[in-house]
Amino acid sequence: MAVDLSHHLSVETKARLANPMKTIWRLAQGKLKAGAITLANGDPHPSLFPLSRVDFHIPDVSVDDPVEAWRHGDYQEQILSTTVSGSSPLALRTAMQYCAGKGTTELCNTLQELNLVLHTDVPQNNVILSVGNADAATKCFRLLASPGDNFLAEEFSYPGITNSPLCHGLNWVPVPIDSDGIVPDALDHLLETWDSAVQGRRPHVLYCIPVGQNPTGGTLPMERRRKIYELAQKWDIVIIEDDPYYFLQFDHLPSQEPHTNGVNGLNGVNGHSKQKKWIDHFAPSFLSLDVDGRVLRIDTVSKVIAPGMRLGWITCSELFHRHLESLTDSSTQHPHGWGQIFLSELFRQPPHGWGPDGFLRWCEHLAIEYKRKRDLMITEIRIGLGDDWGTFADCDVPAGGMFVWLRVNVEQHPNFASDLTASDSLLPQTNTAYLMKELFQSCLNNGVIVMPAATFAIQHQFRRPDETHMLDVRSCPVLLKREADDRAQKSNFLRLSFGGTDDAIVKGSSILVETLRKFFAPIETRLTDEEQV
């Protein structure tokens, strides 16, 4: 049963007035179904839409490997169709009209049903559509963050998301992570030792990417998720679970046996589909663990359909849902009708659409393909470095997502220096940051673009609600200096994406290997090479 978490709402959220026109629109829906005539809304009539029919041509997922067939042009097509007033779940007259901020009822209901398929249990199953994950996360931040608030995030995280609330006065507090993601004991210690008198309000929100974490590729195992949720209850934390790589998990993939396409949707021909057995091996989502209503889960189709769809959904408690819809009603409005039509038709049961089971079949084979690309990249770098793999660089094998987090062992560099204690530092320093900048520039000059770890480092800068400027780390408490020093020494990583073509992976890995060899070469060897050039 959900607990009262209204004290987490931001000053902005509490001050927001509901859009009065949307309020009347909701009240009128029942009357309109009963035959009432509306003179209220400025809605163009569907008879004036220059649209009569929309067809989406997609691959038929009944073949043995729909992704492989699609890539090589050896596929059968399936057509998703809707007309202005046809029998489709979401006709053009409805999808292309104004609707509630949460999105069309038809698609929201479909996604609620999908949630029940994907997650063991969904106590809080209120869905609101978003214009992709960035939009969803930004709205969640606005829902919960008041100026001067402190939010928790993995110490390396995606800046396209974490930068968005800074202008609203939010302060990020980095949480230590390892190859499996957030370290629960470190999170507990951080909250236990928080000094509100010096550091301001104790963090009350955790933003995390639990699967294929961007940039590190880590996936939180089950026991850590349960412990983190227990800590959220202990310290009264709201969890924003941003899960764009949920469907790209590589462990327990089903064998690629011939597929028999049934018409019973999710249940398949044997009452329990192969794809459902695959997702049953996933670690439980925070959403499925949520008995208090303290999780806002963010999903998207960007990684499994197309990024340009800009369509996703937030699942949360009724309290958060109500306020998110109010925010949407006065900002972005509902997502575009084209995407809502597409997903509504896609999730229809065969032969009209893929159905949930067909969608999961597509995702399963996408995961198989990305796993193959992951293995290709790591193999190319390992073989290229030969005996120097583990000496110059190495990595943990990601269990999901799209990224390899390559560890560069800078201590092997001929110019590596330690115990460089700066006047404003609390810990012995190394020149790791300088060497990684040099490596990044060398990669760029040689024709391969990589993302250095420093790009993703969360800096714990903070300000109080009554302050107009951000304090930098030099004027912050001792703890913050120590954190900044520690993170600078952890910047010896490169984020490598295996989302491209095989050719790009092979050529890019080859250039990276040669760049690493030159980077670690003895000084005299470098000088000789430069003289030859």
Side-chain angles (χ1 to χ4, degrees):
M1 182 175 180
V3 300
D4 183 7
L5 297 172
S6 58
H7 56 283
H8 285 283
L9 298 174
S10 67
V11 171
E12 176 193 353
T13 297
K14 292 176 181 178
R16 181 174 296 109
L17 297 176
N19 183 328
M21 295 184 67
K22 289 289 188 179
T23 301
I24 293 174
W25 182 89
R26 290 188 188 91
L27 290 173
Q29 294 310 296
K31 298 292 185 181
L32 290 172
K33 291 179 181 178
I37 296 172
T38 177
L39 303 178
N41 287 357
D43 298 352
H45 193 270
S47 64
L48 300 178
F49 295 174
L51 306 164
S52 64
R53 180 187 178 97
V54 173
D55 291 339
F56 295 98
H57 293 244
I58 62 172
D60 182 349
V61 293
S62 67
V63 299
D64 287 345
D65 187 340
V67 172
E68 185 73 7
W70 182 254
R71 286 179 63 239
H72 292 92
D74 183 23
Y75 59 88
Q76 296 176 334
E77 275 193 352
Q78 184 174 356
I79 300 177
L80 309 178
S81 297
T82 189
T83 59
V84 171
S85 56
S87 60
S88 298
L90 193 53
L92 280 169
R93 64 182 300 120
T94 302
M96 303 309 291
Q97 190 57 273
Y98 294 121
C99 71
K102 70 175 183 178
T104 59
T105 300
E106 292 82 355
L107 182 55
C108 287
N109 290 343
T110 295
L111 294 174
Q112 285 178 318
E113 292 173 5
L114 181 64
N115 280 338
L116 298 176
V117 171
L118 300 177
H119 308 288
T120 307
D121 189 18
V122 191
Q124 315 297 328
N125 196 11
N126 301 280
V127 166
I128 180 170
L129 302 187
S130 68
V131 190
N133 274 37
D135 172 61
T138 299
K139 286 174 178 170
C140 289
F141 298 152
R142 291 181 64 183
L143 174 77
L144 301 168
S146 297
D149 274 3
N150 297 291
F151 279 17
L152 301 158
E154 293 125 331
E155 60 184 328
F156 293 95
S157 193
Y158 177 58
I161 297 292
T162 57
N163 282 356
S164 67
L166 295 179
C167 60
H168 295 286
L170 175 69
N171 313 309
W172 286 111
V173 179
V175 180
I177 59 176
D178 60 17
S179 59
D180 285 333
I182 292 173
V183 180
D185 287 346
L187 173 60
D188 192 28
H189 178 74
L190 187 158
L191 294 167
E192 183 77 53
T193 57
W194 188 267
D195 187 347
S196 298
V198 176
Q199 296 169 269
R201 181 183 181 184
R202 191 176 63 215
H204 67 108
V205 173
L206 167 65
Y207 168 77
C208 64
I209 306 171
V211 173
Q213 200 266 351
N214 187 0
T216 67
T219 294
L220 279 169
M222 179 189 302
E223 59 273 14
R224 288 201 183 186
R225 296 180 192 227
R226 295 189 185 281
K227 180 60 177 176
I228 290 168
Y229 187 81
E230 290 172 3
L231 292 174
Q233 292 179 304
K234 173 183 176 181
W235 295 107
D236 191 21
I237 301 291
V238 172
I239 299 174
I240 301 175
E241 179 181 27
D242 187 0
D243 216 352
Y245 306 103
Y246 177 78
F247 298 106
L248 299 181
Q249 300 194 48
F250 307 143
D251 291 341
H252 306 291
L253 281 166
S255 61
Q256 298 180 55
E257 59 197 36
H259 173 64
T260 301
N261 191 41
V263 295
N264 297 321
L266 176 67
N267 291 328
V269 294
N270 296 315
H272 198 56
S273 76
K274 188 172 61 157
Q275 287 72 44
K276 185 62 168 65
K277 291 178 181 177
W278 168 49
I279 63 171
D280 282 346
H281 285 291
F282 293 1
S285 63
F286 285 115
L287 179 68
S288 68
L289 300 175
D290 186 24
V291 294
D292 295 342
R294 64 178 66 252
V295 173
L296 295 108
R297 178 177 171 82
I298 301 174
D299 283 286
T300 182
V301 296
S302 291
K303 302 301 187 290
V304 294
I305 300 295
M309 284 282 290
R310 306 317 306 150
L311 187 59
W313 65 99
I314 305 169
T315 309
C316 58
S317 69
E318 192 279 330
L319 169 72
F320 293 152
H321 182 274
R322 183 172 70 251
H323 286 286
L324 283 170
E325 185 170 12
S326 181
L327 168 57
T328 303
D329 281 342
S330 297
S331 58
T332 62
Q333 305 293 318
H334 56 83
H336 53 93
W338 306 113
Q340 296 195 61
I341 292 171
F342 179 84
L343 287 187
S344 294
E345 291 294 321
L346 188 75
F347 284 111
R348 291 182 73 184
Q349 295 291 2
H352 304 288
W354 283 355
D357 196 41
F359 173 73
L360 291 177
R361 179 165 175 75
W362 176 258
C363 293
E364 167 208 332
H365 284 276
L366 272 182
I368 291 171
E369 175 65 7
Y370 276 105
K371 181 180 182 181
R372 185 189 66 79
K373 289 175 177 290
R374 175 203 70 181
D375 294 343
L376 175 63
M377 172 175 279
I378 294 175
T379 299
E380 288 294 316
I381 297 174
R382 289 191 67 158
I383 292 177
L385 286 176
D387 293 340
D388 293 320
W389 172 262
T391 302
F392 292 169
D394 59 78
C395 69
D396 295 299
V397 179
M402 297 174 63
F403 306 111
V404 168
W405 191 235
L406 188 73
R407 182 184 300 104
V408 180
N409 299 316
V410 291
E411 65 275 10
Q412 303 298 323
H413 192 278
N415 285 340
F416 178 76
S418 58
D419 295 329
L420 301 176
T421 306
S423 60
D424 63 341
S425 178
L426 296 172
L427 297 174
Q429 299 293 286
T430 71
N431 59 347
T432 296
Y434 173 82
L435 292 174
M436 290 304 295
K437 287 181 181 179
E438 177 187 321
L439 176 59
F440 169 74
Q441 191 61 52
S442 296
C443 288
L444 197 61
N445 293 342
N446 292 337
V448 63
I449 302 170
V450 296
M451 282 289 179
T455 306
F456 306 94
I458 294 291
Q459 300 300 329
H460 187 176
Q461 298 172 310
F462 74 95
R463 60 182 165 196
R464 303 285 175 78
D466 58 343
E467 291 173 336
T468 58
H469 66 283
M470 190 79 75
L471 299 177
D472 68 33
V473 73
R474 299 185 183 191
S475 60
C476 287
V478 168
L479 176 61
L480 303 190
K481 285 187 181 181
R482 189 179 301 276
E483 288 175 354
D485 292 343
D486 182 52
R487 223 159 354 272
Q489 308 316 306
K490 292 181 179 179
S491 64
N492 60 313
F493 288 86
L494 298 173
R495 192 198 76 172
L496 311 176
S497 171
F498 48 85
T501 65
D502 288 5
D503 186 58
I505 291 172
V506 170
K507 289 182 179 178
S509 298
S510 176
I511 296 171
L512 176 60
V513 165
E514 290 307 308
T515 304
L516 284 168
R517 288 197 176 282
K518 291 180 181 179
F519 175 73
F520 283 105
I523 299 298
E524 57 272 17
T525 303
R526 288 189 182 189
L527 293 175
T528 301
D529 290 343
E530 290 172 2
E531 289 170 358
Q532 289 176 351
V533 173

